Amino acid sequence: GQADDSRFELLFESLWQFHLRRAEATGAGFDSARASKAPKARRELLYSLEALCRFSEGSRPALALPESELARASGRILEYGIKHRQALALDPKDGLLKETKKLMAEWNRTPAPSDERLAADWRLYLDRVHALLGVRLS
């Protein structure tokens, strides 16, 4: 249907923007201070997506995180959950989609140098975004 098409289009556009920005940044080089903060910023976005997923009907199992990260992650996910609950209460109809779009835009703005951590985070990011958009890829 039209709603599904628009969600696939949003996903495709977001992925295209991410890879375009990544290619531009790779050619231009990275500010080392900004690049060093990027992995942490991406993790925070994953925690926020995880919190948002818990409000969706088709929520997936929790993020698989190393034990050393679980305690901190749990606190952050709870904190983001409280923030998302407030946003969703203001917009019960389209809030979940709006919050997902905001997080996707933030992911695209986060520097993405070629690093091993991005590969690990990328699958988790896509899994959460697919769940929130209700997109199933076979």
Side-chain angles (χ1 to χ4, degrees):
Q2 196 171 6
D4 290 339
D5 287 347
S6 66
R7 288 177 182 197
F8 275 110
E9 192 175 312
L10 171 66
L11 182 60
F12 176 80
E13 178 69 23
S14 178
L15 295 175
W16 179 79
Q17 286 291 329
F18 176 81
H19 287 293
L20 180 68
R21 286 191 176 132
R22 186 170 183 207
E24 288 170 354
T26 303
F30 274 98
D31 171 342
S32 61
R34 229 176 128 220
S36 67
K37 293 177 184 175
K40 183 179 179 202
R42 281 196 301 273
R43 288 313 264 185
E44 292 295 319
L45 286 168
L46 288 175
Y47 298 156
S48 196
L49 283 166
E50 176 67 16
L52 195 54
C53 263
R54 294 178 184 195
F55 292 101
S56 69
E57 289 178 20
S59 67
R60 307 264 173 111
L63 284 173
L65 298 168
E67 220 170 294
S68 58
E69 200 175 338
L70 273 176
R72 182 181 182 285
S74 297
R76 296 298 287 164
I77 290 167
L78 180 61
E79 186 181 324
Y80 286 125
I82 292 167
K83 184 186 105 182
H84 289 312
R85 183 188 304 262
Q86 293 168 343
L88 296 177
L90 294 173
D91 189 358
K93 185 175 178 238
D94 295 318
L96 199 65
L97 182 60
K98 286 179 182 175
E99 290 295 297
T100 303
K101 284 180 178 179
K102 284 183 203 171
L103 293 169
M104 291 169 75
E106 191 60 38
W107 180 271
N108 288 341
R109 284 191 293 272
T110 305
S114 178
D115 64 10
E116 294 167 11
R117 191 63 188 250
L118 176 61
D121 290 346
W122 187 244
R123 184 70 249 161
L124 296 172
Y125 168 78
L126 282 180
D127 185 48
R128 278 4 188 217
V129 166
H130 290 168
L132 287 161
L133 294 180
V135 170
R136 295 190 194 281
L137 302 174
S138 27

